[in-house]
mmCIF file of all heavy atoms in Angstrom:
data_model
loop_
_atom_site.group_PDB
_atom_site.id
_atom_site.type_symbol
_atom_site.label_atom_id
_atom_site.label_comp_id
_atom_site.label_asym_id
_atom_site.label_seq_id
_atom_site.Cartn_x
_atom_site.Cartn_y
_atom_site.Cartn_z
ATOM 1 N N THR A 488 20.785 29.255 34.000
ATOM 2 C CA THR A 488 19.389 28.859 34.214
ATOM 3 C C THR A 488 18.475 30.073 34.088
ATOM 4 O O THR A 488 18.926 31.221 34.116
ATOM 5 C CB THR A 488 19.193 28.237 35.609
ATOM 6 O OG1 THR A 488 19.460 29.249 36.604
ATOM 7 C CG2 THR A 488 20.107 27.043 35.817
ATOM 8 N N LEU A 489 17.180 29.790 33.997
ATOM 9 C CA LEU A 489 16.184 30.850 33.961
ATOM 10 C C LEU A 489 16.240 31.670 35.246
ATOM 11 O O LEU A 489 16.161 32.910 35.206
ATOM 12 C CB LEU A 489 14.789 30.244 33.771
ATOM 13 C CG LEU A 489 13.605 31.216 33.822
ATOM 14 C CD1 LEU A 489 13.703 32.250 32.714
ATOM 15 C CD2 LEU A 489 12.289 30.450 33.706
ATOM 16 N N ASN A 490 16.385 31.009 36.371
ATOM 17 C CA ASN A 490 16.459 31.726 37.653
ATOM 18 C C ASN A 490 17.670 32.640 37.704
ATOM 19 O O ASN A 490 17.604 33.750 38.257
ATOM 20 C CB ASN A 490 16.509 30.734 38.816
ATOM 21 C CG ASN A 490 15.162 30.096 39.096
ATOM 22 O OD1 ASN A 490 14.129 30.666 38.754
ATOM 23 N ND2 ASN A 490 15.166 28.917 39.703
ATOM 24 N N GLN A 491 18.783 32.200 37.137
ATOM 25 C CA GLN A 491 19.985 33.034 37.147
ATOM 26 C C GLN A 491 19.789 34.273 36.264
ATOM 27 O O GLN A 491 20.207 35.377 36.636
ATOM 28 C CB GLN A 491 21.190 32.234 36.668
ATOM 29 C CG GLN A 491 22.521 32.957 36.870
ATOM 30 C CD GLN A 491 23.719 32.083 36.563
ATOM 31 O OE1 GLN A 491 23.608 31.072 35.868
ATOM 32 N NE2 GLN A 491 24.874 32.455 37.088
ATOM 33 N N LEU A 492 19.156 34.098 35.110
ATOM 34 C CA LEU A 492 18.859 35.247 34.256
ATOM 35 C C LEU A 492 17.945 36.230 34.976
ATOM 36 O O LEU A 492 18.112 37.451 34.861
ATOM 37 C CB LEU A 492 18.201 34.770 32.959
ATOM 38 C CG LEU A 492 19.128 34.086 31.948
ATOM 39 C CD1 LEU A 492 18.311 33.377 30.876
ATOM 40 C CD2 LEU A 492 20.085 35.087 31.315
ATOM 41 N N HIS A 493 16.994 35.691 35.738
ATOM 42 C CA HIS A 493 16.103 36.551 36.525
ATOM 43 C C HIS A 493 16.894 37.326 37.574
ATOM 44 O O HIS A 493 16.714 38.546 37.724
ATOM 45 C CB HIS A 493 15.025 35.702 37.188
ATOM 46 C CG HIS A 493 14.189 36.451 38.182
ATOM 47 N ND1 HIS A 493 13.198 37.331 37.808
ATOM 48 C CD2 HIS A 493 14.229 36.481 39.544
ATOM 49 C CE1 HIS A 493 12.639 37.854 38.883
ATOM 50 N NE2 HIS A 493 13.251 37.356 39.951
ATOM 51 N N ARG A 494 17.785 36.629 38.301
ATOM 52 C CA ARG A 494 18.545 37.305 39.359
ATOM 53 C C ARG A 494 19.486 38.351 38.783
ATOM 54 O O ARG A 494 19.667 39.429 39.373
ATOM 55 C CB ARG A 494 19.333 36.264 40.166
ATOM 56 C CG ARG A 494 18.452 35.347 41.015
ATOM 57 C CD ARG A 494 19.285 34.590 42.040
ATOM 58 N NE ARG A 494 20.270 33.725 41.406
ATOM 59 C CZ ARG A 494 20.056 32.460 41.045
ATOM 60 N NH1 ARG A 494 18.857 31.916 41.244
ATOM 61 N NH2 ARG A 494 21.014 31.740 40.482
ATOM 62 N N LEU A 495 20.095 38.061 37.624
ATOM 63 C CA LEU A 495 20.960 39.050 36.982
ATOM 64 C C LEU A 495 20.170 40.299 36.607
ATOM 65 O O LEU A 495 20.626 41.432 36.815
ATOM 66 C CB LEU A 495 21.597 38.447 35.727
ATOM 67 C CG LEU A 495 22.666 37.367 35.931
ATOM 68 C CD1 LEU A 495 22.982 36.689 34.613
ATOM 69 C CD2 LEU A 495 23.928 37.961 36.548
ATOM 70 N N SER A 496 18.989 40.092 36.087
ATOM 71 C CA SER A 496 18.140 41.218 35.689
ATOM 72 C C SER A 496 17.741 42.048 36.896
ATOM 73 O O SER A 496 17.761 43.286 36.849
ATOM 74 C CB SER A 496 16.887 40.703 34.965
ATOM 75 O OG SER A 496 17.237 39.971 33.814
ATOM 76 N N VAL A 497 17.377 41.384 37.973
ATOM 77 C CA VAL A 497 16.999 42.088 39.202
ATOM 78 C C VAL A 497 18.169 42.901 39.731
ATOM 79 O O VAL A 497 18.010 44.061 40.149
ATOM 80 C CB VAL A 497 16.509 41.092 40.277
ATOM 81 C CG1 VAL A 497 16.366 41.787 41.630
ATOM 82 C CG2 VAL A 497 15.191 40.471 39.865
ATOM 83 N N SER A 498 19.367 42.318 39.688
ATOM 84 C CA SER A 498 20.560 43.016 40.194
ATOM 85 C C SER A 498 20.844 44.279 39.382
ATOM 86 O O SER A 498 21.132 45.341 39.942
ATOM 87 C CB SER A 498 21.777 42.080 40.151
ATOM 88 O OG SER A 498 21.597 40.973 41.009
ATOM 89 N N ILE A 499 20.759 44.172 38.065
ATOM 90 C CA ILE A 499 21.007 45.340 37.208
ATOM 91 C C ILE A 499 19.949 46.403 37.450
ATOM 92 O O ILE A 499 20.260 47.593 37.617
ATOM 93 C CB ILE A 499 21.031 44.924 35.726
ATOM 94 C CG1 ILE A 499 22.205 43.987 35.447
ATOM 95 C CG2 ILE A 499 21.122 46.161 34.827
ATOM 96 C CD1 ILE A 499 22.171 43.350 34.073
ATOM 97 N N GLN A 500 18.699 45.998 37.478
ATOM 98 C CA GLN A 500 17.609 46.953 37.685
ATOM 99 C C GLN A 500 17.726 47.653 39.033
ATOM 100 O O GLN A 500 17.554 48.878 39.131
ATOM 101 C CB GLN A 500 16.260 46.242 37.578
ATOM 102 C CG GLN A 500 15.064 47.190 37.596
ATOM 103 C CD GLN A 500 13.754 46.463 37.386
ATOM 104 O OE1 GLN A 500 13.333 45.690 38.245
ATOM 105 N NE2 GLN A 500 13.107 46.704 36.253
ATOM 106 N N SER A 501 18.031 46.903 40.066
ATOM 107 C CA SER A 501 18.155 47.482 41.407
ATOM 108 C C SER A 501 19.316 48.464 41.474
ATOM 109 O O SER A 501 19.203 49.534 42.087
ATOM 110 C CB SER A 501 18.350 46.372 42.444
ATOM 111 O OG SER A 501 17.250 45.498 42.466
ATOM 112 N N ALA A 502 20.439 48.112 40.847
ATOM 113 C CA ALA A 502 21.607 48.988 40.877
ATOM 114 C C ALA A 502 21.329 50.306 40.160
ATOM 115 O O ALA A 502 21.690 51.382 40.651
ATOM 116 C CB ALA A 502 22.801 48.279 40.250
ATOM 117 N N VAL A 503 20.674 50.228 38.995
ATOM 118 C CA VAL A 503 20.359 51.443 38.243
ATOM 119 C C VAL A 503 19.430 52.341 39.051
ATOM 120 O O VAL A 503 19.582 53.568 39.079
ATOM 121 C CB VAL A 503 19.724 51.088 36.879
ATOM 122 C CG1 VAL A 503 19.243 52.344 36.163
ATOM 123 C CG2 VAL A 503 20.722 50.335 36.015
ATOM 124 N N SER A 504 18.471 51.733 39.714
ATOM 125 C CA SER A 504 17.544 52.506 40.537
ATOM 126 C C SER A 504 18.246 53.125 41.743
ATOM 127 O O SER A 504 18.036 54.293 42.076
ATOM 128 C CB SER A 504 16.397 51.602 41.006
ATOM 129 O OG SER A 504 15.531 52.290 41.878
ATOM 130 N N GLN A 505 19.095 52.335 42.390
ATOM 131 C CA GLN A 505 19.761 52.801 43.614
ATOM 132 C C GLN A 505 20.812 53.872 43.320
ATOM 133 O O GLN A 505 20.885 54.893 44.011
ATOM 134 C CB GLN A 505 20.421 51.610 44.308
ATOM 135 C CG GLN A 505 21.182 51.977 45.571
ATOM 136 C CD GLN A 505 21.846 50.771 46.214
ATOM 137 O OE1 GLN A 505 21.598 49.637 45.839
ATOM 138 N NE2 GLN A 505 22.711 51.014 47.194
ATOM 139 N N TYR A 506 21.644 53.656 42.309
ATOM 140 C CA TYR A 506 22.754 54.572 42.038
ATOM 141 C C TYR A 506 22.332 55.827 41.257
ATOM 142 O O TYR A 506 22.869 56.911 41.474
ATOM 143 C CB TYR A 506 23.858 53.850 41.250
ATOM 144 C CG TYR A 506 24.479 52.697 42.003
ATOM 145 C CD1 TYR A 506 24.955 51.583 41.332
ATOM 146 C CD2 TYR A 506 24.582 52.709 43.397
ATOM 147 C CE1 TYR A 506 25.536 50.509 42.006
ATOM 148 C CE2 TYR A 506 25.158 51.646 44.080
ATOM 149 C CZ TYR A 506 25.626 50.546 43.388
ATOM 150 O OH TYR A 506 26.181 49.494 44.069
ATOM 151 N N PHE A 507 21.361 55.669 40.344
ATOM 152 C CA PHE A 507 21.027 56.782 39.456
ATOM 153 C C PHE A 507 19.593 57.270 39.593
ATOM 154 O O PHE A 507 19.229 58.285 38.991
ATOM 155 C CB PHE A 507 21.278 56.377 37.990
ATOM 156 C CG PHE A 507 22.633 55.796 37.742
ATOM 157 C CD1 PHE A 507 22.775 54.481 37.330
ATOM 158 C CD2 PHE A 507 23.773 56.554 37.952
ATOM 159 C CE1 PHE A 507 24.030 53.931 37.104
ATOM 160 C CE2 PHE A 507 25.029 56.016 37.734
ATOM 161 C CZ PHE A 507 25.171 54.700 37.310
ATOM 162 N N GLY A 508 18.759 56.551 40.360
ATOM 163 C CA GLY A 508 17.360 56.948 40.512
ATOM 164 C C GLY A 508 16.588 56.865 39.209
ATOM 165 O O GLY A 508 15.683 57.665 38.956
ATOM 166 N N VAL A 509 16.932 55.876 38.387
ATOM 167 C CA VAL A 509 16.338 55.743 37.060
ATOM 168 C C VAL A 509 15.503 54.464 36.989
ATOM 169 O O VAL A 509 15.937 53.401 37.432
ATOM 170 C CB VAL A 509 17.432 55.708 35.974
ATOM 171 C CG1 VAL A 509 16.838 55.398 34.607
ATOM 172 C CG2 VAL A 509 18.180 57.040 35.937
ATOM 173 N N ASN A 510 14.299 54.579 36.407
ATOM 174 C CA ASN A 510 13.460 53.408 36.190
ATOM 175 C C ASN A 510 13.909 52.666 34.937
ATOM 176 O O ASN A 510 14.370 53.287 33.971
ATOM 177 C CB ASN A 510 11.993 53.822 36.023
ATOM 178 C CG ASN A 510 11.436 54.450 37.283
ATOM 179 O OD1 ASN A 510 11.569 53.906 38.373
ATOM 180 N ND2 ASN A 510 10.799 55.606 37.137
ATOM 181 N N THR A 511 13.763 51.350 34.934
ATOM 182 C CA THR A 511 14.157 50.554 33.774
ATOM 183 C C THR A 511 13.068 49.543 33.428
ATOM 184 O O THR A 511 12.339 49.066 34.304
ATOM 185 C CB THR A 511 15.465 49.777 34.044
ATOM 186 O OG1 THR A 511 15.325 49.006 35.242
ATOM 187 C CG2 THR A 511 16.637 50.706 34.166
ATOM 188 N N HIS A 512 12.983 49.248 32.143
ATOM 189 C CA HIS A 512 12.129 48.169 31.660
ATOM 190 C C HIS A 512 13.041 47.026 31.254
ATOM 191 O O HIS A 512 13.877 47.196 30.370
ATOM 192 C CB HIS A 512 11.306 48.629 30.465
ATOM 193 C CG HIS A 512 10.420 49.788 30.762
ATOM 194 N ND1 HIS A 512 10.012 50.700 29.812
ATOM 195 C CD2 HIS A 512 9.858 50.198 31.933
ATOM 196 C CE1 HIS A 512 9.234 51.606 30.375
ATOM 197 N NE2 HIS A 512 9.135 51.334 31.655
ATOM 198 N N MET A 513 12.888 45.869 31.891
ATOM 199 C CA MET A 513 13.786 44.746 31.648
ATOM 200 C C MET A 513 13.002 43.515 31.249
ATOM 201 O O MET A 513 11.977 43.182 31.848
ATOM 202 C CB MET A 513 14.636 44.455 32.888
ATOM 203 C CG MET A 513 15.448 45.647 33.351
ATOM 204 S SD MET A 513 16.834 45.189 34.402
ATOM 205 C CE MET A 513 17.883 44.295 33.288
ATOM 206 N N ILE A 514 13.495 42.836 30.214
ATOM 207 C CA ILE A 514 12.910 41.583 29.767
ATOM 208 C C ILE A 514 14.046 40.583 29.571
ATOM 209 O O ILE A 514 15.060 40.905 28.957
ATOM 210 C CB ILE A 514 12.137 41.772 28.444
ATOM 211 C CG1 ILE A 514 11.032 42.819 28.619
ATOM 212 C CG2 ILE A 514 11.529 40.453 27.982
ATOM 213 C CD1 ILE A 514 10.279 43.135 27.339
ATOM 214 N N TYR A 515 13.877 39.393 30.103
ATOM 215 C CA TYR A 515 14.905 38.367 29.958
ATOM 216 C C TYR A 515 14.271 37.106 29.368
ATOM 217 O O TYR A 515 13.092 36.819 29.571
ATOM 218 C CB TYR A 515 15.569 38.052 31.300
ATOM 219 C CG TYR A 515 14.618 37.602 32.382
ATOM 220 C CD1 TYR A 515 14.405 36.239 32.633
ATOM 221 C CD2 TYR A 515 13.924 38.526 33.157
ATOM 222 C CE1 TYR A 515 13.518 35.830 33.618
ATOM 223 C CE2 TYR A 515 13.050 38.125 34.142
ATOM 224 C CZ TYR A 515 12.851 36.775 34.370
ATOM 225 O OH TYR A 515 11.976 36.366 35.353
ATOM 226 N N SER A 516 15.075 36.376 28.606
ATOM 227 C CA SER A 516 14.568 35.192 27.920
ATOM 228 C C SER A 516 14.715 33.958 28.796
ATOM 229 O O SER A 516 15.277 34.009 29.895
ATOM 230 C CB SER A 516 15.336 34.985 26.613
ATOM 231 O OG SER A 516 16.648 34.498 26.894
ATOM 232 N N ASP A 517 14.242 32.831 28.279
ATOM 233 C CA ASP A 517 14.550 31.542 28.893
ATOM 234 C C ASP A 517 15.999 31.185 28.581
ATOM 235 O O ASP A 517 16.610 31.757 27.668
ATOM 236 C CB ASP A 517 13.635 30.450 28.333
ATOM 237 C CG ASP A 517 12.183 30.641 28.763
ATOM 238 O OD1 ASP A 517 11.954 31.364 29.761
ATOM 239 O OD2 ASP A 517 11.296 30.080 28.098
ATOM 240 N N ALA A 518 16.563 30.248 29.327
ATOM 241 C CA ALA A 518 17.897 29.723 29.033
ATOM 242 C C ALA A 518 17.729 28.542 28.087
ATOM 243 O O ALA A 518 17.015 27.585 28.402
ATOM 244 C CB ALA A 518 18.594 29.294 30.312
ATOM 245 N N GLU A 519 18.358 28.628 26.908
ATOM 246 C CA GLU A 519 18.172 27.614 25.870
ATOM 247 C C GLU A 519 19.491 26.898 25.571
ATOM 248 O O GLU A 519 20.578 27.435 25.783
ATOM 249 C CB GLU A 519 17.637 28.258 24.586
ATOM 250 C CG GLU A 519 16.282 28.922 24.725
ATOM 251 C CD GLU A 519 15.152 27.910 24.651
ATOM 252 O OE1 GLU A 519 15.421 26.701 24.516
ATOM 253 O OE2 GLU A 519 13.974 28.343 24.730
ATOM 254 N N GLU A 520 19.391 25.674 25.040
ATOM 255 C CA GLU A 520 20.564 24.860 24.742
ATOM 256 C C GLU A 520 21.260 25.319 23.459
ATOM 257 O O GLU A 520 20.617 25.438 22.409
ATOM 258 C CB GLU A 520 20.159 23.385 24.574
ATOM 259 C CG GLU A 520 19.763 22.692 25.865
ATOM 260 C CD GLU A 520 20.971 22.412 26.763
ATOM 261 O OE1 GLU A 520 22.110 22.447 26.255
ATOM 262 O OE2 GLU A 520 20.759 22.184 27.965
ATOM 263 N N GLY A 521 22.561 25.574 23.534
ATOM 264 C CA GLY A 521 23.389 25.806 22.367
ATOM 265 C C GLY A 521 23.083 27.090 21.612
ATOM 266 O O GLY A 521 22.165 27.845 21.943
ATOM 267 N N ILE A 522 23.879 27.314 20.552
ATOM 268 C CA ILE A 522 23.745 28.543 19.779
ATOM 269 C C ILE A 522 22.424 28.573 19.019
ATOM 270 O O ILE A 522 21.852 29.645 18.788
ATOM 271 C CB ILE A 522 24.944 28.704 18.810
ATOM 272 C CG1 ILE A 522 25.025 30.156 18.302
ATOM 273 C CG2 ILE A 522 24.866 27.717 17.669
ATOM 274 C CD1 ILE A 522 25.375 31.149 19.368
ATOM 275 N N GLU A 523 21.907 27.398 18.637
ATOM 276 C CA GLU A 523 20.597 27.372 17.989
ATOM 277 C C GLU A 523 19.514 27.827 18.965
ATOM 278 O O GLU A 523 18.569 28.513 18.589
ATOM 279 C CB GLU A 523 20.291 25.965 17.466
ATOM 280 C CG GLU A 523 21.159 25.554 16.284
ATOM 281 C CD GLU A 523 20.773 24.188 15.753
ATOM 282 O OE1 GLU A 523 19.858 23.565 16.331
ATOM 283 O OE2 GLU A 523 21.385 23.748 14.759
ATOM 284 N N GLY A 524 19.680 27.435 20.221
ATOM 285 C CA GLY A 524 18.747 27.877 21.251
ATOM 286 C C GLY A 524 18.800 29.383 21.446
ATOM 287 O O GLY A 524 17.784 30.007 21.766
ATOM 288 N N ALA A 525 19.994 29.962 21.243
ATOM 289 C CA ALA A 525 20.126 31.415 21.349
ATOM 290 C C ALA A 525 19.246 32.103 20.317
ATOM 291 O O ALA A 525 18.654 33.154 20.583
ATOM 292 C CB ALA A 525 21.591 31.824 21.162
ATOM 293 N N GLY A 526 19.159 31.500 19.117
ATOM 294 C CA GLY A 526 18.297 32.061 18.081
ATOM 295 C C GLY A 526 16.835 32.005 18.468
ATOM 296 O O GLY A 526 16.092 32.975 18.279
ATOM 297 N N ARG A 527 16.404 30.883 19.034
ATOM 298 C CA ARG A 527 15.008 30.767 19.469
ATOM 299 C C ARG A 527 14.699 31.773 20.577
ATOM 300 O O ARG A 527 13.637 32.418 20.589
ATOM 301 C CB ARG A 527 14.726 29.348 19.967
ATOM 302 C CG ARG A 527 14.755 28.285 18.880
ATOM 303 C CD ARG A 527 14.191 26.980 19.402
ATOM 304 N NE ARG A 527 14.968 26.438 20.506
ATOM 305 C CZ ARG A 527 16.019 25.633 20.356
ATOM 306 N NH1 ARG A 527 16.427 25.285 19.136
ATOM 307 N NH2 ARG A 527 16.659 25.171 21.408
#
Side-chain angles (χ1 to χ4, degrees):
T488 65
L489 175 62
N490 285 336
Q491 190 172 20
L492 286 167
H493 171 76
R494 291 194 298 271
L495 289 169
S496 300
V497 169
S498 296
I499 295 170
Q500 188 176 68
S501 299
V503 173
S504 176
Q505 178 181 350
Y506 297 148
F507 309 116
V509 173
N510 296 310
T511 54
H512 301 153
M513 303 200 67
I514 302 176
Y515 57 96
S516 74
D517 292 340
E519 298 279 1
E520 289 287 342
I522 196 67
E523 290 183 358
R527 292 192 298 272

